[in-house]
Amino acid sequence: MPAAVSPESPVRGAGTSRTTLTHCPYCSLQCGMKVTAGARPATLLPADFPTNKGGLCCKGWSSTELLDHPERLLRPLVRAVDGDRTSPLVEATWDDALGRLVDAIERTQARYGRDAVGCFGGGSLTNEQAYQFGKFARVALRTSAIDYNGRFCMSSAAGAANRAFGLDRGMPFPLSDIAGADAVVLVGSNPADTMPPAMQYFDEGRTRGAQHVVVDPRRTNTAKNAELHLQPLPGTDLALANGLLHIAIAEGLVDEEYVAARTTGFDDVKAGVAAYWPDRVERLTGVPVEYQRRTVFALARAEKAIVLTARGAEQHRSGTDTAQAWINLALALGLPGRPGSGWGTVTGQGNGQGGREHGQKADQLPGYRSLRDPAARSHVAAVWGVDPDDLPMPGKSAFELLDALGTDGGVRTLLVLASNVAVSAPDARRVISRLADLDFLAVSDFFLSETAELADVVLPSAMWAEEDGTMTNLEGRVIRRRRALDPPAGVPDDLQLLATLADRLGRGQHFSGDPETVFEELRRASAGGAADYSGISYHRIDDEQGVFWPCPSATHPGTPRLFTERFPTPDGRARFLRVEHVDAHEPTDADFPYVLTTGRVLAQYQSGTQTRRTRSLQMVAPTPRAELHPDLARRLGIAPDDVVELTTRRGRARFHAQVTDAIRPDVVFAPFHWGGGSSANALTDADALDPTSKMPAFKVCAVAVARVDGPAELIAPPATAGLPQPTAHQQPTAPEPRTPSRKRSTRVKSSPRFLQGVFPIAGEGLAKPGPIDPALKYTVPQGASAQALYFRGGNSTGELVYVLLVRDGEPMRWFPIGAKGDVHVPLRVVEDLPGGTVVELHAAAPEGVSGEIVIDLGLVEV
């Protein structure tokens, strides 16, 4: 039904106090809570909901503080001078604000085409809002340009799960299964700080004697409680997973029956991980061989075992492959689909799961359907009452969309809902400059976020306790967010806003502002899709404390545990995929000698738009604190609470120093909840996106550290002069100048060099060695010298083979490798190799013998 000319918020009127069962507005745990409201302010108590069982963290307890915050937006804001973003934002009527936005949309599309108007959403929108935003883009705007901030969160795990299992549901089992598992390996996640109520399941398991292993470069509060803490260098989790699978194969721990019956592709993965022997993995990751073995045996010997990955492992340019490597390990041990066992990923944002299922992503239609699939297009178009040929094809992913703002072929008018990309996007100063290139920017939010401050029009929105809708939590449980109190007069929610905008654009007949009406349409649109909600209703959710998808009919019980009988792939089998470790896109060097990684802290959330305004949380975490190891702090003359400046090739940011031995000496940690002069994402690298998920490398880049001041209550921002300029729209052909080094060192600069891999061999006789592969040839640079440190080799054939180390064409040393054997030879007494020396590896095998050899020659270049 068409919406009103201006969005209205239904008002129940002042009445007696009422208590409503609803859910926390923050993380994907979606804790149950009881909100009591009548006269404002509202109060709350935790509810005994299955995920939190009566628990709440400090963020949940403080969530009602913001409903009546003095900085809350209550009226639309527009620029005092239309089109001039240097003029102040002033209050306006809804008619004026929406009129400016609609005029900009129509003007932009008339001049540049439909795709010049874009939409950017968020993982905190309800399912109904996310669904309607995707539909709004494709039906009201008919643009392909839509994506959302979940691309920066869950996309790598989603990509890996889809290709391995045929389905992406973050945790394919209930959260309660963690309590019953005998072994849990948690990779790159810190639920003790990010979702504390979930720790009761981990605590229950440990009380029963379960073995918990945490993989994290920091000794987090989660790691402190674990039996074993593996502390790898950021960006090496894939190598670690491959190494653990290597051990499992070598020790005969693979579940051969499961692999044969329920999977495909294992042989190729087995060949690939042959090159990841334990001491090589220790060298790559820093994780001792003993810890690798203990981890594998804990998983393999447990009756019930779970592997969980999260953003620490996934926010990399190889994040999808990293998640795949851990899936490969879980499959080899027969975990997915086994009762109480499996692989899963810990979803971050409140509706990070549902937000990526129903059309907010650039390539998706509701029900997790592909926008490229003609059958999917026809089904959804029929539900929407439009011609499938009118639906656009997939557009650009989140960062690609943002990076092309204001360009020919890029978006020129942008509508942002529930996202603060000026803080949360990688290389944030670059994104801010792209936002400035827009012809028009509109933002819907309930506070003047850093992104809203840049807008032409800012539209106030109802908050979590003032709206109805559904969310999908980290387990795939669809729950109800119930309206506990009325929003301020004249403040709509985003569902009503989209219906109103569609009506003003002449497409209002396709949209509704009523959440249950929209959910009923979502059910029809998702029917038959991977994320099938067609059997879920508001009534069922109320009666059953949520319903797990897929749920294809009203009589279907829902699916708490996936993959118990088959995987949703064409042949019903899960897929192993061979993946290889790749080095970080941005290696450390003399100018930027340390590794920066980013993440969350307990008392803040996401871009901090809400939590930085919460008085009680500000008392817990008032300023951003960068974690430095005592050895690093001592070397740089940094004391606790000093102001330090972190510098990367993209910018500088300042933090208070937190000196702690809980972090590796070569790693610096910075929280990403702040903007401005303390923006961690002003430092992060966006120039190498994951090829599958389009995830930027949030978790690793090269950084320099310097002390700039002693303890100070307020952190002064870095001087604007001298800051690196954001990357231009056209990538430069020559490297950009680097920021001068803030660190001087008398250390000799050295670089490791490795000739390594798995290669085929075909014997022509032991007396006839020949080159193995061009990759096994190395020339020492002029002006440098090198030294060979070790040789390690493996032989898959049933005969003795030889590997020959050749220097400038002359044999230097032979390495015999026995049948089905391996060899490890230290070479520390070998003489220096001066610049210009050519080192090459040849091999020889008996005539007619064929197979594979594994090669690893380690050198150091000085």
Side-chain angles (χ1 to χ4, degrees), residues 404-468:
L405 295 178
T407 64
D408 291 340
V411 167
R412 291 178 175 270
T413 289
L414 182 67
L415 172 61
V416 178
L417 302 189
S419 190
N420 186 12
V421 293
V423 174
S424 62
D427 198 354
R429 292 179 60 245
R430 173 171 161 187
V431 169
I432 290 169
S433 75
R434 301 299 194 254
L435 292 170
D437 292 337
L438 284 166
D439 295 343
F440 195 92
L441 173 63
V443 175
S444 171
D445 211 325
F446 25 78
F447 292 110
L448 195 64
S449 69
E450 285 82 353
T451 304
E453 288 176 347
L454 306 174
D456 294 272
V457 168
V458 182
L459 305 171
S461 175
M463 295 186 71
W464 61 281
E466 302 162 349
E467 62 185 14
D468 283 309

Side-chain angles (χ1 to χ4, degrees), residues 631-650:
D631 291 348
L632 175 58
R634 191 178 308 113
R635 190 181 312 133
L636 300 179
I638 296 170
D641 298 321
D642 282 353
V643 176
V644 297
E645 187 167 281
L646 307 185
T647 303
T648 70
R649 294 179 177 90
R650 289 153 296 281

